[in-house]
Amino acid sequence: MSEKLEQLKERLGEVSDIGRAASVLGWDQQVNMPPGGNEARGQQLATLSKIAQEKFIADEVGQLIDDLKQEFAGDDSDDAALIRVAARNYDKSKRVPPEFIEEQAIVSSKAFEAWVEARKKSDFSIFRPHLERVVELVHRYISFFPAGNHPYDTLLDDYEPGMKTEEVKAIFDGLRPKQVKLIKAIAKSKQVKDDFLFKKFNEKKLNDFGVNVITRFGYDWTRGRQDKAAHPFETTFSVNDVRITTRYEDDNPIAMLFSTMHESGHAMYEQGVNPAYDRSPLGGGTSMAIHESQSRMWENLVGRSLPFWEYFYPELKKTFPAQLDGISLKSFYKAINKVEPSLIRVNADEATYNLHIMLRLELEIGMVEGTIAIKDLPEIWNTKMQEYLGIVPPDDVHGVLQDIHWSGGSIGYFPTYALGNLVSAQLWEKIRKDIRGLDDQICKGDFSELLGWLRKNIHQHGHKYEPQALVEKVTGSKITPEPYVRYLTKKYSEIYGL
Amino acid sequence: MSEKLEQLKERLGEVSDIGRAASVLGWDQQVNMPPGGNEARGQQLATLSKIAQEKFIADEVGQLIDDLKQEFAGDDSDDAALIRVAARNYDKSKRVPPEFIEEQAIVSSKAFEAWVEARKKSDFSIFRPHLERVVELVHRYISFFPAGNHPYDTLLDDYEPGMKTEEVKAIFDGLRPKQVKLIKAIAKSKQVKDDFLFKKFNEKKLNDFGVNVITRFGYDWTRGRQDKAAHPFETTFSVNDVRITTRYEDDNPIAMLFSTMHESGHAMYEQGVNPAYDRSPLGGGTSMAIHESQSRMWENLVGRSLPFWEYFYPELKKTFPAQLDGISLKSFYKAINKVEPSLIRVNADEATYNLHIMLRLELEIGMVEGTIAIKDLPEIWNTKMQEYLGIVPPDDVHGVLQDIHWSGGSIGYFPTYALGNLVSAQLWEKIRKDIRGLDDQICKGDFSELLGWLRKNIHQHGHKYEPQALVEKVTGSKITPEPYVRYLTKKYSEIYGL
């Protein structure tokens, strides 16, 4: 290995070590930390993030990358990919002044507090001045980068490397009318019953059931663990230590199962990355959408499918005989797939979820273009909810104040959720072609061939390919809404007898 | 505040942040980490330790300290103490070349593996060549420092700032004959019964009992937590996040209670340090011996006292009625204070414990002076065990291979355990003078005045005073063995009717 490459890898390895150390501190903060620990923990995380940034944007690193870019030009090796991704990250990091990052941290922290306060009183006007500052900073952030076709491209690129606003718009434009049409058709059909899902379910038993399910999926417990946290998430400390959290909700107990499956999908992705990429920018999943495709696949394409429950329902019924007394497999399957326009994104079903995202994307683009004033957000929100889903929030908590993202300056993130759904179905069509008898395997609780396929085609590559390139490499086409529409239409035609 | 002082504090704050982040990673490693995580975690810890060292020994830091030393000369303020401690640490760190630290890490890691292997086969010869290398490095380490009266001073100083080998020897020389005499007198008396302590005790109930005890002591759960780990320890992430671990041993269940009290003593010390010292070299306990004085005080002076059990024994009996059926308070009290020469230091009672330490100190001094060859250690060990305790280990696992310390290069640490015992009794005599009716308070489960005294006289000062200075400030005399001898003599005269 070239001496310079070795130097670069060592430096990037250190930066990665610091980032992963910060992840351990973040995980601990959400899973274990006593309340008193908060202030010092914030300080520790700020110091780690500052040092990682200093180490990364040092001039020697830039020099090494420049020299190596020439040495590896036109090369398709892992090393060339590593240099490419490092160069990309370096360029982005270098453009943003450290003082800006500091200012953004302060503004976000205040905006977050205001958001919490605004939610308590369900009063958008408390959050409004803070969101205005956040959006100002977003405009400044965009100004550090060369002007692209659309200012939103810069934001999107942080979550979906290489993805353009025009592409996302085109995809969503193709998707929207078909999803709206499907939802309208479902609305005219007889609604399914799901009241039994909201009985009391013992938390410990539900948790154990979830553990059993993801063990069957192939989540590797020797390289991970599951804890309780207020919000479910996945976090990576190395390819050999990938952890997830779960939670029990009194008013929706069964959600715990699907949340566990969802996070295990993220985790199995991270556990499946080529171990040689660890401590380098090639480690970890390549984008938020690809990540979400994995979590949604295990949660929905697998976890809300009939074959899955053919295997697991008898066991669930044995675990909860009182709650599921007299409920057939078919009734249970229909209940967990009930479609109903609802106000809160995170609780939305598969058929309506993407519409929540499209609404947010339109607002974000409006804010970035300056065509939507922050003060008008609640009204526009409510109008669009009426238009897409036929319901209007009774207050801002159930409307424009529901998501944490904007308070933290995360504008450009939302579309990745919907893209993840699309990719999950697009991969699924290919998987069904490649794996004969997939349904039979799932009916038997055997997920090994499925996980093997994902490892080989998606997981192992880590950050080597950008999301569009990866999807095209695997399915022969860039991200497209058709498979998802076909998937929804088929599934709900059966369930609702359309 | 002077601008230079502010700069120094900020830099030291960063170094502290990195160190505390490393502590979180270390805690997680022992409490939560799945087995797969080990390799990456070692790498992450190595990176953090390297960066903290780089940041600390930077020339700017030395320059700031030099300038400030003059500005604050002769000053008794906290800032002057901070500069004094920082200067001391800087000088020590600067003398040790980074390559040496790296070499030591590698040698220790191999020595640790060899020690584990040697223990499995109870064969010292497997560990011997590694210990020889460790001791070689210890000699090199000593050579980086100016020659003192004794080469062992350099090692001791890392754990007990300012303490000299001659002082420790004099203290131990005063102590040894009296402890040996006491043990001989006990050996001639009728032994107490303790068989009921080794029945089965439910782990969960024992744990809850321990939690209840240390809650009464004053361990602050809003600024800490307790978890299970293979080895009990205390660790500090900030003055407001001080955690402990405990363990259950099948063959000695009741030990869990005393271990919990012990660690809570360490933790309450750390929770009681002046919060203004956080993120600075004044944060945390001042030395290992003072730390141990706190843990041993709560474990032994309080936790193995008759007043303590007058309050807690009825509750313990209610919790474990079958195990303690027919056992009176007095019988229980005697059982948990049984004296019996034994082979393993960590299981030793209060009367014999220090002799285990004296043996180790003599061997360490011999190794450092070069008067004891490593190959002769097992034999010398066994000879001294016969001399001090009248028993001889049947094999090396129960003898020279029992402690982890030497494998990690920790030579100079052992004496702090015995010094901690002495300090605990020395403080206790002063406390009994200052707090009227202490026994009555303890009989009622009221520890608030005791904790208040410790907070005021010991805890709050953090690292401001060196151990000998602190003990003298509080008790009017430097560390001396007399109070401990008086304490043991009184206690065991009653128990054994001497």
Side-chain angles (χ1 to χ4, degrees):
Chain A
M1 180 159 67
S2 116
E3 199 184 313
K4 281 182 180 170
L5 182 57
E6 205 167 330
Q7 282 172 23
L8 179 66
K9 284 187 175 176
E10 189 38 42
R11 182 61 84 102
L12 297 175
E14 281 185 14
V15 173
S16 163
D17 287 338
I18 303 168
R20 255 97 194 252
S23 297
V24 177
L25 268 63
W27 172 86
D28 179 76
Q29 192 169 31
Q30 295 195 56
V31 172
N32 304 302
M33 199 180 68
N38 217 25
E39 195 185 331
R41 184 56 54 86
Q43 182 68 61
Q44 289 151 7
L45 283 166
T47 294
L48 291 184
S49 133
K50 181 169 161 266
I51 293 172
Q53 173 79 353
E54 275 171 16
K55 289 249 167 210
F56 182 50
I57 64 166
D59 290 339
E60 312 93 83
V61 175
Q63 193 58 57
L64 285 168
I65 290 174
D66 276 350
D67 295 352
L68 287 161
K69 260 202 310 211
Q70 296 180 353
E71 201 180 321
F72 284 83
D75 188 331
D76 191 35
S77 65
D78 283 358
D79 285 337
L82 180 145
I83 293 156
R84 205 163 54 234
V85 176
R88 187 192 123 84
N89 296 349
Y90 185 84
D91 177 65
K92 292 191 92 160
S93 296
K94 197 82 181 175
R95 287 177 180 277
V96 185
E99 312 83 61
F100 176 84
I101 294 177
E102 216 163 304
E103 192 181 344
Q104 203 180 35
I106 295 165
V107 168
S108 296
S109 158
K110 286 184 186 153
F112 172 74
E113 279 173 39
W115 174 73
V116 171
E117 187 63 20
R119 277 173 61 83
K120 270 190 204 145
K121 303 187 174 148
S122 193
D123 181 356
F124 178 74
S125 73
I126 296 170
F127 183 45
R128 180 188 145 187
H130 295 274
L131 183 55
E132 282 168 351
R133 292 236 48 208
V134 165
V135 173
E136 265 172 55
L137 286 179
V138 164
H139 282 125
R140 259 190 31 230
Y141 180 80
I142 291 170
S143 75
F144 299 137
F145 293 85
N149 287 328
H150 195 286
Y152 192 79
D153 285 353
T154 300
L155 307 178
L156 193 55
D157 193 73
D158 285 347
Y159 307 102
E160 287 307 301
M163 181 73 73
K164 302 296 172 203
T165 311
E166 287 312 313
E167 291 177 281
V168 176
K169 274 180 155 177
I171 292 167
F172 285 8
D173 285 345
L175 178 65
R176 191 182 303 103
K178 290 168 186 157
Q179 266 199 268
V180 170
K181 194 179 146 205
L182 178 68
I183 295 165
K184 285 195 172 146
I186 292 171
K188 284 190 209 133
S189 316
K190 184 162 178 280
Q191 187 52 290
V192 303
K193 266 180 64 107
D194 67 346
D195 53 316
F196 51 86
L197 293 181
F198 301 92
K199 292 181 178 168
K200 282 214 180 311
F201 287 73
N202 176 275
E203 176 176 348
K204 167 93 174 57
K205 284 182 183 170
L206 261 183
N207 183 71
D208 292 350
F209 197 91
V211 164
N212 180 27
V213 167
I214 67 174
T215 305
R216 285 232 149 229
F217 282 175
Y219 175 69
D220 182 350
W221 295 95
T222 68
R223 301 189 291 135
R225 55 181 279 139
Q226 185 184 246
D227 294 88
K228 276 181 72 171
H231 300 280
F233 64 96
E234 174 276 317
T235 183
T236 303
F237 306 150
S238 81
V239 69
N240 291 321
D241 189 354
V242 181
R243 305 187 189 179
I244 55 178
T245 65
T246 189
R247 71 168 164 200
Y248 177 86
E249 296 166 274
D250 275 328
D251 56 356
N252 191 6
I254 216 84
M256 188 180 201
L257 277 187
F258 295 101
S259 159
T260 297
M261 291 192 249
H262 181 97
E263 299 308 331
S264 84
H266 285 301
M268 288 186 286
Y269 186 6
E270 295 278 323
Q271 287 185 334
V273 173
N274 182 347
Y277 295 172
D278 224 24
R279 293 189 85 224
S280 95
L282 296 184
T286 193
S287 81
M288 304 308 294
I290 304 300
H291 238 298
E292 200 69 8
S293 78
Q294 298 306 295
S295 55
R296 299 293 263 182
M297 184 182 291
W298 290 99
E299 175 194 357
N300 291 332
L301 286 286
V302 176
R304 287 184 212 269
S305 75
L306 197 52
F308 174 90
W309 287 106
E310 276 179 28
Y311 180 77
F312 280 107
Y313 191 61
E315 204 180 317
L316 191 72
K317 232 176 140 158
K318 212 157 64 185
T319 314
F320 300 105
Q323 291 87 337
L324 300 173
D325 183 39
I327 308 297
S328 70
L329 168 63
K330 265 286 163 59
S331 303
F332 179 80
Y333 169 69
K334 286 184 178 182
I336 58 167
N337 284 294
K338 183 182 179 184
V339 173
E340 189 170 47
S342 60
L343 296 169
I344 305 294
R345 172 184 62 85
V346 296
N347 298 335
D349 54 71
E350 286 182 88
T352 57
Y353 187 94
N354 286 345
L355 294 173
H356 290 268
I357 297 302
M358 292 180 204
L359 178 158
R360 285 157 180 75
L361 176 66
E362 288 176 49
L363 298 195
E364 288 192 344
I365 289 180
M367 286 190 269
V368 167
E369 287 177 345
T371 51
I372 292 181
I374 306 302
K375 71 171 168 51
D376 299 330
L377 279 179
E379 205 192 311
I380 303 176
W381 183 287
N382 295 351
T383 309
K384 288 210 177 286
M385 279 298 288
Q386 175 64 49
E387 186 185 333
Y388 290 169
L389 290 161
I391 50 175
V392 176
D395 52 33
D396 292 341
V397 170
H398 294 86
V400 69
L401 286 175
Q402 70 184 263
D403 295 306
I404 193 177
H405 302 60
W406 292 344
S407 77
S410 293
I411 292 182
Y413 190 119
F414 280 123
T416 71
Y417 291 120
L419 293 172
N421 285 330
L422 305 189
V423 174
S424 73
Q426 194 170 341
L427 293 175
W428 196 248
E429 284 198 349
K430 176 72 171 122
I431 291 168
R432 296 194 77 89
K433 277 184 201 142
D434 288 356
I435 305 183
R436 286 177 152 269
L438 178 63
D439 283 353
D440 288 345
Q441 292 174 11
I442 295 179
C443 280
K444 288 178 192 141
D446 176 5
F447 305 93
S448 55
E449 204 176 339
L450 173 58
L451 182 58
W453 189 98
L454 292 170
R455 286 253 191 278
K456 176 168 171 277
N457 291 284
I458 306 289
H459 300 177
Q460 64 158 326
H461 300 304
H463 250 290
K464 186 169 181 181
Y465 305 105
E466 292 191 348
Q468 286 281 39
L470 180 65
V471 173
E472 191 167 16
K473 178 179 148 73
V474 177
T475 69
S477 132
K478 290 189 172 184
I479 300 175
T480 158
E482 304 307 334
Y484 193 65
V485 171
R486 280 194 287 270
Y487 159 70
L488 288 185
T489 307
K490 177 158 186 292
K491 179 170 188 173
Y492 291 110
S493 296
E494 285 163 16
I495 290 173
Y496 282 96
L498 306 181
Chain B
M1 180 159 69
S2 117
E3 200 185 311
K4 281 184 180 169
L5 183 57
E6 206 167 329
Q7 282 172 24
L8 180 65
K9 283 187 176 176
E10 188 39 40
R11 182 61 84 100
L12 296 175
E14 281 185 16
V15 173
S16 163
D17 288 339
I18 303 168
R20 255 96 195 254
S23 297
V24 178
L25 268 63
W27 172 85
D28 179 75
Q29 192 169 28
Q30 294 196 55
V31 171
N32 303 303
M33 198 180 69
N38 217 25
E39 194 185 333
R41 184 56 53 87
Q43 182 70 59
Q44 289 152 6
L45 283 168
T47 295
L48 291 184
S49 132
K50 179 168 162 266
I51 292 171
Q53 173 79 352
E54 276 170 15
K55 289 249 167 210
F56 182 50
I57 63 166
D59 291 339
E60 313 94 84
V61 176
Q63 192 59 57
L64 285 168
I65 290 174
D66 276 349
D67 295 351
L68 286 161
K69 260 202 309 210
Q70 297 181 352
E71 202 180 320
F72 284 82
D75 189 331
D76 190 37
S77 66
D78 283 358
D79 285 338
L82 182 144
I83 293 157
R84 206 164 51 233
V85 176
R88 189 191 121 83
N89 296 349
Y90 185 83
D91 176 64
K92 292 190 91 159
S93 296
K94 198 80 180 176
R95 287 176 182 277
V96 185
E99 313 83 59
F100 176 84
I101 295 177
E102 215 163 304
E103 192 181 343
Q104 202 180 35
I106 295 165
V107 168
S108 297
S109 158
K110 285 185 188 153
F112 172 74
E113 279 172 40
W115 173 72
V116 171
E117 187 62 22
R119 278 173 61 83
K120 268 190 207 146
K121 302 188 178 150
S122 193
D123 180 357
F124 179 75
S125 73
I126 296 170
F127 183 46
R128 179 187 146 188
H130 295 273
L131 183 55
E132 282 168 351
R133 290 236 48 207
V134 165
V135 173
E136 263 172 56
L137 286 179
V138 164
H139 283 125
R140 248 172 60 213
Y141 180 79
I142 293 170
S143 75
F144 298 138
F145 294 84
N149 287 327
H150 195 286
Y152 192 78
D153 284 355
T154 301
L155 308 179
L156 193 55
D157 193 73
D158 285 347
Y159 307 102
E160 286 308 300
M163 181 73 74
K164 301 298 173 202
T165 310
E166 286 312 313
E167 291 178 281
V168 176
K169 273 181 157 176
I171 293 166
F172 285 8
D173 285 345
L175 179 63
R176 192 181 303 104
K178 290 168 187 158
Q179 266 199 268
V180 171
K181 194 178 145 205
L182 178 68
I183 295 166
K184 285 196 171 145
I186 293 172
K188 284 189 208 131
S189 316
K190 185 164 177 277
Q191 186 52 290
V192 304
K193 265 182 64 111
D194 69 346
D195 54 317
F196 51 86
L197 294 182
F198 301 92
K199 292 181 179 168
K200 282 213 181 309
F201 287 73
N202 176 276
E203 176 175 351
K204 168 93 175 55
K205 285 182 185 172
L206 261 184
N207 183 70
D208 291 350
F209 197 91
V211 164
N212 180 28
V213 167
I214 66 173
T215 305
R216 286 231 148 231
F217 282 173
Y219 175 70
D220 182 350
W221 295 95
T222 69
R223 302 189 289 135
R225 57 179 281 140
Q226 185 184 246
D227 293 89
K228 277 181 71 173
H231 301 280
F233 63 97
E234 174 276 317
T235 182
T236 303
F237 306 150
S238 81
V239 69
N240 292 320
D241 190 353
V242 182
R243 305 188 189 178
I244 55 177
T245 64
T246 190
R247 72 169 164 199
Y248 177 86
E249 296 165 274
D250 275 327
D251 56 355
N252 191 6
I254 217 84
M256 187 181 202
L257 277 187
F258 295 100
S259 159
T260 296
M261 292 192 247
H262 181 98
E263 299 308 331
S264 84
H266 285 301
M268 289 186 284
Y269 185 7
E270 295 278 323
Q271 287 185 334
V273 173
N274 183 347
Y277 295 172
D278 226 23
R279 292 190 86 225
S280 93
L282 295 185
T286 193
S287 80
M288 304 309 293
I290 304 299
H291 239 299
E292 199 69 7
S293 80
Q294 300 305 294
S295 55
R296 298 292 263 183
M297 184 183 289
W298 291 99
E299 176 193 356
N300 291 332
L301 286 287
V302 175
R304 287 185 212 268
S305 75
L306 196 53
F308 174 89
W309 287 107
E310 276 178 28
Y311 180 76
F312 280 106
Y313 190 61
E315 203 180 318
L316 190 73
K317 232 177 141 157
K318 212 158 63 188
T319 313
F320 300 105
Q323 292 86 339
L324 300 173
D325 184 38
I327 308 297
S328 70
L329 167 62
K330 265 286 164 60
S331 303
F332 179 80
Y333 168 68
K334 286 184 178 181
I336 58 168
N337 284 294
K338 182 181 178 184
V339 172
E340 189 169 48
S342 60
L343 296 169
I344 304 294
R345 173 184 61 85
V346 296
N347 298 336
D349 53 73
E350 287 182 86
T352 56
Y353 188 93
N354 286 345
L355 295 173
H356 290 268
I357 297 303
M358 292 179 204
L359 178 158
R360 284 158 180 76
L361 176 67
E362 288 175 49
L363 298 196
E364 288 191 344
I365 289 182
M367 285 190 269
V368 166
E369 287 178 345
T371 52
I372 293 180
I374 308 303
K375 70 172 172 46
D376 298 330
L377 279 179
E379 203 192 313
I380 302 176
W381 183 287
N382 294 352
T383 308
K384 288 207 178 288
M385 280 297 288
Q386 174 63 50
E387 185 185 334
Y388 291 169
L389 289 162
I391 50 175
V392 176
D395 51 35
D396 291 340
V397 169
H398 295 84
V400 69
L401 287 175
Q402 70 184 263
D403 294 307
I404 194 178
H405 303 60
W406 292 344
S407 77
S410 293
I411 291 182
Y413 189 120
F414 280 122
T416 72
Y417 291 121
L419 292 171
N421 285 330
L422 304 189
V423 173
S424 73
Q426 194 171 343
L427 293 175
W428 196 247
E429 285 198 348
K430 175 74 171 123
I431 290 168
R432 297 194 77 89
K433 277 185 202 141
D434 288 355
I435 306 182
R436 285 178 150 270
L438 178 63
D439 283 353
D440 288 346
Q441 293 174 12
I442 295 179
C443 279
K444 289 177 192 138
D446 177 4
F447 305 93
S448 54
E449 205 177 338
L450 172 59
L451 181 59
W453 190 98
L454 293 170
R455 288 251 191 278
K456 177 168 170 277
N457 290 284
I458 306 289
H459 300 178
Q460 65 159 324
H461 300 305
H463 251 290
K464 187 170 179 180
Y465 305 105
E466 291 191 348
Q468 287 280 39
L470 181 64
V471 172
E472 191 166 15
K473 179 179 147 75
V474 177
T475 68
S477 130
K478 291 190 170 182
I479 300 175
T480 156
E482 305 307 333
Y484 193 65
V485 171
R486 281 194 287 269
Y487 159 71
L488 288 186
T489 307
K490 179 160 186 290
K491 180 171 188 173
Y492 290 111
S493 295
E494 285 162 18
I495 291 174
Y496 281 97
L498 305 181

